Amino acid sequence: GEQVEQLPSILRVQEGSSASINCTYENSASNYFPWYKQEPGENPKLIIDIRSNMERKQTQGLIVLLDKKAKRFSLHITDTQPGDSAMYFCAASSGGLSGKLTFGEGTQVTVIS
Amino acid sequence: DTTVKQNPRYKLARVGKPVNLICSQTMNHDTMYWYQKKPNQAPKLLLFYYDKILNREADTFEKFQSSRPNNSFCSLYIGSAGLEYSAMYLCASGDGGGNERLFFGHGTKLSVL
């Protein structure tokens, strides 16, 4: 199976600063790493993902980095806004029907105005 | 706008009584998943359907049943609820492929008393 550790569990940042969440995984066969955002009362939504053939991906104020050697991947939210306050989950999978997504425990991000 | 719907949003159940949770998706996805989410824990995969084939995780094999009468619907059934079943239950459908993306419903919060 797979184990994913996510840190920190709680993150408070000042509006306009950046927020970083780090995840590590154990299974070297994992090749897909999505990030989900869950706002209060809402369903988790995919915000960005990265596959093992990439080291960096960026979209709309989000940057994900993948270090396969260290089995580590991270999410960086640049120029945080109040709307970025949410629970964020990282996940990893090795793909196919036998490689289902394993989630981290989540990071509660609060952006302070 | 969510195309994965779960009913009900909140469910109260008595210890020893059965519980049936419902999920539907309109995206014609082949795969549907059920996750259990407890506070401060990662979403935990319980089981998933690929088409008509049910796959249950080994450590929760005897605790949960499921049925999928057609492509759009999937249920999660607890034969005799215990206090430890109190949790958020998240349904998701997958868009297929080697590393499929998951689309989650809002979840059903089950409280067992």
Side-chain angles (χ1 to χ4, degrees):
Chain A
E2 174 64 279
Q3 296 282 339
V4 176
E5 183 176 356
Q6 181 173 349
L7 291 170
S9 54
I10 298 172
L11 183 59
R12 290 167 61 88
V13 296
Q14 206 69 36
E15 181 177 352
S17 66
S18 61
S20 296
I21 305 170
N22 298 293
C23 290
T24 57
Y25 61 99
E26 292 185 356
N27 186 356
S28 56
S30 288
N31 57 10
Y32 175 61
F33 308 92
W35 288 86
Y36 286 82
K37 175 184 180 182
Q38 185 175 22
E39 297 180 71
E42 293 295 320
N43 52 326
K45 292 182 176 69
L46 178 69
I47 53 173
I48 192 169
D49 55 13
I50 190 167
R51 288 175 166 73
S52 58
N53 60 348
M54 301 177 71
E55 294 179 349
R56 176 193 168 97
K57 185 174 180 180
Q58 182 170 355
T59 179
Q60 295 179 335
L62 302 174
I63 300 170
V64 289
L65 302 175
L66 173 62
D67 182 342
K68 285 176 288 186
K69 262 187 180 177
K71 294 182 189 171
R72 183 171 56 218
F73 58 112
S74 56
L75 173 69
H76 306 272
I77 308 169
T78 61
D79 187 24
T80 53
Q81 299 299 311
D84 294 321
S85 294
M87 180 70 82
Y88 291 80
F89 294 97
C90 66
S93 86
S94 55
L97 291 178
S98 60
K100 311 320 297 177
L101 276 178
T102 300
F103 284 87
E105 294 181 354
T107 298
Q108 181 64 54
V109 173
T110 302
V111 179
I112 306 161
S113 299
Chain B
D1 177 39
T2 176
T3 49
V4 178
K5 295 193 184 301
Q6 291 187 243
N7 286 299
R9 291 289 292 267
Y10 302 92
K11 175 87 176 170
L12 267 177
R14 294 290 181 189
V15 169
K17 297 297 186 184
V19 176
N20 198 44
L21 307 180
I22 302 295
C23 178
S24 65
Q25 52 98 3
T26 57
M27 295 170 283
N28 201 32
H29 287 164
D30 284 330
T31 319
M32 293 185 75
Y33 302 82
W34 282 99
Y35 283 85
Q36 181 191 64
K37 174 75 175 72
K38 293 187 176 182
N40 302 316
Q41 294 183 19
K44 176 181 167 57
L45 179 65
L46 300 176
L47 53 88
F48 68 94
Y49 263 99
Y50 176 71
D51 195 12
K52 295 182 174 62
I53 300 170
L54 174 62
N55 298 269
R56 287 186 284 176
E57 292 296 289
D59 57 345
T60 54
F61 190 88
E62 295 178 349
K63 293 186 173 183
F64 299 94
Q65 284 282 355
S66 183
S67 67
R68 191 176 187 188
N70 56 56
N71 177 270
S72 301
F73 288 89
C74 187
S75 67
L76 182 70
Y77 180 76
I78 301 166
S80 177
L83 297 175
E84 71 278 13
Y85 285 87
S86 292
M88 177 70 80
Y89 289 87
L90 291 165
C91 173
S93 68
D95 66 355
N99 296 121
E100 60 181 354
R101 297 175 173 181
L102 298 191
F103 296 80
F104 284 90
H106 282 84
T108 294
K109 186 170 182 181
L110 174 65
S111 298
V112 182
L113 305 174

